[in-house]
Amino acid sequence: MKSIAAKVTPAKPANQEMVTNWADPGYFAHQSRVKNLLRILKQLVVRPDGHKTLPTKSGIVLILLSLGIGSAAYNTASNILFIVLAMLLSSLLLSGLLSWMNFKGTRWRLSLERHFRAGDTTSVKIEVSNSKTFLPTYGLWFFLKAHKSEAARRLPLEERVDPAQSCTLIWLFEPLKRGREVIEIVGLESSFPFGFLRKSIGHSIKQEVKVWPRRISYEFTPPALAHARSAGLSASQAGSGSELINLRDYRSGDPLRQIHWKASARLQRFMIREVAEENHESYALAVETPASIWKAGEQFERLCSVVGAMAEDLFLSEQLRAVTINDGESIPIRKQGDLHAFLDSLAELQPVERLGHTHQHAGSTTITFSPGAGEHILIHVGGIHAGTA
């Protein structure tokens, strides 16, 4: 896992990201100056929950040095030693004061992509804003944690944030497993300016995301296409036509041969060519996971992966018409949001105790799945073996 500070990234549409509310240190509560001053004086005696101020290694050395010089000054009654002691204690006090001012007026929030996929690197963003009037914000450290993946990252703010400015910190995070993942900012700290004191805030911001199954390769030959090949006939794969009908943004799993390089260079992002298809046979995916057949483990995870990969590929070739999971209703897939909802369901799919009945998909060919040897998955079309994953 890697971290990149203050990285400039292309803007995405607002509906492509989930953004939390702004968080702040909680020093002020938009009250009058008198009430804020009283709150500050109270916090000097009783620290707020989650706030800590501890000396660093250099701060401990400074404190020990101050004690030694103080003892010598008291025993010798030397004014010079008392002046040196005052300077050391003043630098310690100033360090704590400037650390407090560094936090003041700083806001932060999480910005996550709506869809994560196991095995794919995804950007976890922290937006940092400085609302102070005169002072910049320096040297903060954000502590992030991904609970399901048991991953953590200490993300630095390596560049200063000037007043009324903002920046973005990025954690390149790779989820390990499908399911619900919780990304959390568990705290942040500052040792600015001298590194004598480490002031930390245990402020938590959480955001839950669904991690889709990882994509895997599979072999799939529809019975009609296999029959045409055995008869010596030509049958073009879906999506292999030459008539361009649309351009869209690149999505994970898209073939590289479909990238429109000229449009990608002009728009500064990968664009995919959608072409007219020569084979438009439609399919319906039926996923049934009775516990008597499927056990939680690597083979079941492989089932979720191949179902997700086939659903995306069939959707991109406009051959996916409907999906069904266990005893649920048959859900038509008409737009990308329908496909994403299905992949969200796969993220949480588990074996079930029993099934009530099996759906029939009129007007389309049903694709079903069964366990194979080892961890392999068998793919069937209308009950006929058509592929393996």
Side-chain angles (χ1 to χ4, degrees):
M1 302 176 188
K2 304 175 182 178
S3 62
I4 303 175
K7 180 180 178 180
V8 179
T9 54
K12 290 188 175 183
N15 61 354
Q16 295 298 313
E17 295 184 347
M18 297 184 295
V19 182
T20 63
N21 294 328
W22 288 104
D24 57 56
Y27 290 137
F28 298 101
H30 301 291
Q31 299 175 349
S32 66
R33 293 184 178 181
V34 175
K35 291 183 178 180
N36 279 331
L37 178 60
L38 294 177
R39 292 179 72 244
I40 294 173
L41 294 176
K42 178 181 177 182
Q43 290 174 4
L44 293 176
V45 180
V46 181
R47 69 186 184 191
D49 292 338
H51 290 231
K52 294 181 180 179
T53 302
L54 298 173
T56 62
K57 291 182 179 180
S58 58
I60 294 176
V61 172
L62 178 65
I63 293 173
L64 294 176
L65 184 61
S66 300
L67 291 175
I69 293 177
S71 300
Y74 179 78
N75 291 327
T76 61
S78 172
N79 291 333
I80 295 178
L81 291 179
F82 277 115
I83 293 174
V84 173
L85 176 63
M87 292 180 61
L88 293 179
L89 294 179
S90 298
S91 63
L92 191 65
L93 178 62
L94 182 62
S95 177
L97 177 62
L98 291 180
S99 293
W100 175 83
M101 296 178 66
N102 193 37
F103 276 118
K104 177 183 175 296
T106 303
R107 303 186 304 164
W108 58 91
R109 65 181 180 182
L110 269 175
S111 177
L112 305 179
E113 296 184 13
R114 287 190 174 273
H115 310 294
F116 285 40
R117 187 190 298 276
D120 286 0
T121 300
T122 310
S123 297
V124 175
K125 301 178 183 177
I126 300 179
E127 298 178 12
V128 183
S129 174
N130 181 9
S131 61
K132 293 191 285 287
T133 305
F134 301 106
L135 297 178
T137 295
Y138 284 94
L140 297 181
W141 292 86
F142 290 84
F143 297 92
L144 293 102
K145 186 176 182 179
H147 291 267
K148 187 178 181 66
S149 299
E150 297 182 350
R153 174 62 62 183
R154 187 171 183 255
L155 198 61
L157 176 63
E158 295 179 344
E159 299 181 5
R160 79 177 195 177
V161 183
D162 291 321
Q165 299 295 319
S166 61
C167 74
T168 300
L169 310 181
I170 297 180
W171 177 24
L172 299 182
F173 167 63
E174 180 180 325
L176 302 178
K177 299 179 181 179
R178 68 181 180 92
R180 290 181 179 269
E181 180 64 273
V182 177
I183 307 294
E184 179 182 10
I185 299 178
V186 295
L188 64 159
E189 70 176 28
S190 170
S191 56
F192 174 82
F194 307 127
F196 296 142
L197 296 177
R198 179 184 295 110
K199 187 169 183 59
S200 60
I201 297 176
H203 192 97
S204 174
I205 302 178
K206 296 181 180 180
Q207 183 67 59
E208 185 179 82
V209 296
K210 291 183 179 180
V211 181
W212 294 347
R214 67 177 66 234
R215 280 191 64 93
I216 62 173
S217 59
Y218 60 92
E219 297 178 0
F220 177 64
T221 305
L225 181 57
H227 176 73
R229 287 177 176 172
S230 64
L233 302 175
S234 62
S236 300
Q237 294 183 358
S240 62
S242 58
E243 182 183 353
L244 180 65
I245 60 175
N246 189 28
L247 286 176
R248 60 169 175 80
D249 288 336
Y250 173 84
R251 292 191 289 266
S252 177
D254 288 339
L256 295 180
R257 65 177 181 274
Q258 291 182 218
I259 294 178
H260 194 294
W261 294 107
K262 290 184 178 180
S264 299
R266 184 173 64 255
L267 298 176
Q268 296 297 306
R269 65 179 186 274
F270 287 127
M271 301 299 294
I272 294 295
R273 294 182 293 109
E274 290 188 338
V275 296
E277 300 169 9
E278 299 174 15
N279 181 4
H280 262 281
E281 187 171 15
S282 62
Y283 298 96
L285 293 178
V287 187
E288 297 177 350
T289 61
S292 58
I293 298 177
W294 299 100
K295 307 297 182 182
E298 291 300 325
Q299 190 176 46
F300 187 79
E301 296 302 318
R302 194 171 183 84
L303 168 68
C304 297
S305 294
V306 69
V307 171
M310 288 195 70
E312 287 186 287
D313 294 342
L314 292 173
F315 176 79
L316 292 176
S317 62
E318 298 186 2
Q319 291 182 283
L320 183 61
R321 293 295 172 261
V323 295
T324 304
I325 298 180
N326 292 321
D327 290 333
E329 296 295 329
S330 178
I331 302 173
I333 304 296
R334 299 189 180 93
K335 57 184 183 297
Q336 190 179 56
D338 298 332
L339 175 66
H340 289 177
F342 175 63
L343 293 174
D344 285 343
S345 300
L346 288 180
E348 301 181 271
L349 183 63
Q350 298 294 334
V352 296
E353 290 299 324
R354 64 181 65 183
L355 293 176
H357 59 278
T358 302
H359 292 276
Q360 299 296 326
H361 300 269
S364 62
T365 304
T366 304
I367 299 178
T368 56
F369 307 87
S370 65
E375 296 179 356
H376 290 287
I377 306 297
L378 302 180
I379 305 171
H380 309 278
V381 178
I384 302 174
H385 177 67
T388 307

